Amino acid sequence: MARAHTRRTRKIRKRLAAVTAAASLAAGGLAVAVTEASADPEPPAAAGTAAVPAHAVTGYWQNFDNGATVQTIAEVPEAYDIVAVAFADATGTPGQVDFTLDPALNYTEEDFKADIAAKQESGKSVVISVGGERGTVAVDDAASADAFATSILSLMDEYGFDGVDIDLENGLDSTYMTRALKAIHAGAGDGLVVTMAPQTIDMQSPDNEYFKTALNIKDFLTVVNMQYYNSGSMLGCDGQVYSQGTVDFLTALACIQLENGLDPSQVGLGTPASPQAAGGGYVEPGVVTDALDCLTRGTNCGSFTPETTYPGLRGAMTWSTNWDAGNGNSWSNTVGPHVDNLP
């Protein structure tokens, strides 16, 4: 396990030395300048030790204590295929992020890194999440985009993260976030895991900045796990209004993404793990599995039934593994096996 992690770290360091992501935006998109700094350059290797499965469960791990169960990465159940470490911290430099373990967790960096490596050895992916309710990271010009990309690659090197999760709840600029994510992809290679957790309002139309960002990086985007909570009522793809906390809310809003450019493999359903995990929108795990069945098989639907099925749907996400643990792991014990058995 330790040897595998060391090899992976060396590869990322070589890519950090070999790739300079500070080019300008050309008319057709991001231009990336590549500088060979090695006598024996090699193609970018996979960012992690295992590919994300076709159907996957994502869970956020809290790097803070807010009343949910405090746990280590090692204690996150095996049902989770992607673990998003929440959250990276903004620095004094626009766009730049860093990460520090919360001392209240009594969790050493050595153990944290070893637990990440162990998760990867068991076929899981661990990414660093940026944003959250109080996140203040802004990527809105060329300099901040480059600072964001460089700092994410550095954190991947330092901690062994497989990629990045974008959970910015105060909006984003699609032009410069695209620039940053393309630079990270150039530096990390095709094994990079990129997840996103926009709010429902951010994915109501492909003209929205979050949606545009997802479409701009469609060639390497892993999954968009929209937050189907804390939003009130929203329009579904049929133009009807649906209330959060229902199977129709999950299916009719997912349909917007599925019918406007994202591949089914890039769409997941994000729900709270317990009633305490969100201000509103909690649904029992069985409602999540019904929505998955409706979208992939056309069964267990509510009043809304999609015109087609999407058997390639990626899966589901929850906030958070800590709240799930405090609820007897009810969410992961129910949703995890169901996701594994999707068509």
Side-chain angles (χ1 to χ4, degrees):
M1 178 171 63
R3 288 195 299 272
H5 184 258
T6 300
R7 287 196 299 270
R8 180 181 179 280
T9 300
R10 285 200 206 102
K11 287 180 179 179
I12 292 181
R13 282 177 178 157
K14 288 177 75 175
R15 293 197 295 274
L16 278 166
V19 177
T20 301
S24 62
L25 281 169
L30 175 73
V32 179
V34 178
T35 304
E36 297 296 347
S38 172
D40 55 345
E42 60 184 48
T49 57
V52 175
H55 298 300
V57 174
T58 302
Y60 284 82
W61 176 85
Q62 298 179 188
N63 181 40
F64 50 87
D65 180 3
N66 66 344
T69 300
V70 173
Q71 61 181 188
T72 65
I73 295 293
E75 292 169 330
V76 174
E78 287 297 296
Y80 292 100
D81 302 292
I82 303 173
V83 179
V85 171
F87 295 98
D89 306 307
T91 71
T93 300
Q96 185 183 70
V97 296
D98 201 354
F99 178 77
T100 303
L101 281 168
D102 187 336
L105 304 184
N106 195 27
Y107 196 6
T108 69
E109 281 208 355
E110 182 181 7
D111 288 342
F112 178 68
K113 292 175 182 179
D115 289 348
I116 290 175
K119 278 293 179 188
Q120 293 165 336
E121 285 294 320
S122 67
K124 312 302 181 180
S125 298
V126 183
V127 301
I128 180 66
S129 181
V130 180
E133 179 186 3
R134 300 177 183 178
T136 58
V137 178
V139 178
D140 51 16
D141 59 22
S144 59
D146 295 339
F148 183 82
T150 300
S151 59
I152 289 295
L153 286 167
S154 179
L155 290 178
M156 289 176 65
D157 178 28
E158 182 177 359
Y159 290 96
F161 296 126
D162 294 285
V164 62
D165 170 73
I166 306 301
D167 184 19
L168 295 171
E169 298 186 3
N170 298 309
L172 55 75
D173 184 304
S174 62
T175 297
Y176 294 105
M177 182 54 74
T178 297
R179 174 189 178 109
L181 292 173
K182 285 188 174 182
I184 294 167
H185 179 246
D190 289 336
L192 177 72
V193 177
V194 178
T195 63
M196 301 173 73
Q199 298 176 102
T200 51
I201 191 66
D202 294 317
M203 300 300 286
Q204 283 275 283
S205 165
D207 293 327
N208 290 359
E209 292 296 289
Y210 237 115
F211 210 137
K212 286 196 289 188
T213 302
L215 294 175
N216 287 346
I217 63 166
K218 184 178 176 179
D219 58 331
F220 61 88
L221 172 66
T222 307
V223 63
V224 174
N225 292 304
M226 189 176 77
Q227 302 177 40
Y228 292 77
Y229 50 93
N230 293 341
S231 68
S233 299
M234 285 285 171
L235 289 173
C237 66
D238 58 354
Q240 301 300 309
V241 177
Y242 294 97
S243 299
Q244 66 178 3
T246 64
V247 66
D248 289 328
F249 189 77
L250 303 181
T251 55
L253 269 67
C255 174
I256 296 174
Q257 299 169 58
L258 293 162
E259 291 299 316
N260 284 278
L262 290 181
D263 189 83
S265 68
Q266 296 173 321
V267 177
L269 308 179
T271 64
S274 74
Q276 296 78 25
Y282 173 74
V283 293
E284 292 290 339
V287 176
V288 181
T289 59
D290 283 349
L292 292 169
D293 286 341
C294 179
L295 292 167
T296 60
R297 297 184 171 98
T299 61
N300 294 328
C301 297
S303 62
F304 171 80
T305 301
E307 294 183 359
T308 186
T309 56
Y310 310 93
L313 193 80
R314 179 67 79 174
M317 170 275 279
T318 198
W319 176 268
S320 62
T321 66
N322 308 74
W323 285 114
D324 189 25
N327 202 30
N329 289 317
S330 175
W331 192 94
S332 56
N333 286 340
T334 301
V335 178
H338 204 84
V339 167
D340 291 342
N341 290 316
L342 289 176

